[in-house]
Amino acid sequence: MASPRSPLLPTVLFGSFCALMTWGALVLAELPYHPAFALTALYFTALTYVLLHWQEQAMVEDPKGFVRRFMLGLMLKMMVSLILVVCIMLLGPKQVLLPLVLSFALLYLAFLGFSTFRLVTRSRH
């Protein structure tokens, strides 16, 4: 079970919201839905949870180490996501390639904002 301060529930709720918004935007734009859109939201939800859990542990154990973990987490998320988006561009389904890459970029920014906001507000307490 997740502790009250665990990032699990907020991250899953935010990921679900983002997946729903992605689906809604595709419906409104009359674009085909592909399971890759759900996998993208799942990827960012899982990666964000793992990084937040790792970073928030350092906040309690070693506040100075938290800053290093925060910066390393930003870099890891960016590098892994950059490699993944290149793979999507090369191997992704051609009929939804542009919307998939755009949604990937928007989800990257949304989850980046979410995790940064959470860590900044948690570090102030």
Side-chain angles (χ1 to χ4, degrees), residues 10-29:
T11 307
V12 169
L13 289 174
F14 186 75
S16 300
F17 173 77
C18 287
L20 184 63
M21 291 291 102
T22 301
W23 176 80
L26 291 170
V27 168
L28 287 175

Side-chain angles (χ1 to χ4, degrees), residues 20-87:
L20 184 63
M21 291 291 102
T22 301
W23 176 80
L26 291 170
V27 168
L28 287 175
E30 298 178 357
L31 294 169
Y33 181 81
H34 190 275
F37 289 101
L39 290 174
T40 301
L42 183 62
Y43 158 74
F44 280 114
T45 302
L47 181 63
T48 300
Y49 169 71
V50 168
L51 288 174
L52 283 175
H53 181 72
W54 179 64
Q55 291 164 330
E56 288 180 11
Q57 280 181 336
M59 197 180 296
V60 174
E61 299 165 3
D62 180 20
K64 291 180 183 178
F66 162 72
V67 175
R68 287 189 298 273
R69 284 190 187 188
F70 178 72
M71 298 308 285
L72 182 60
L74 289 174
M75 187 196 70
L76 283 173
K77 185 182 277 191
M78 181 180 64
M79 289 297 145
V80 171
S81 296
L82 185 59
I83 291 168
L84 189 57
V85 81
V86 168
C87 291

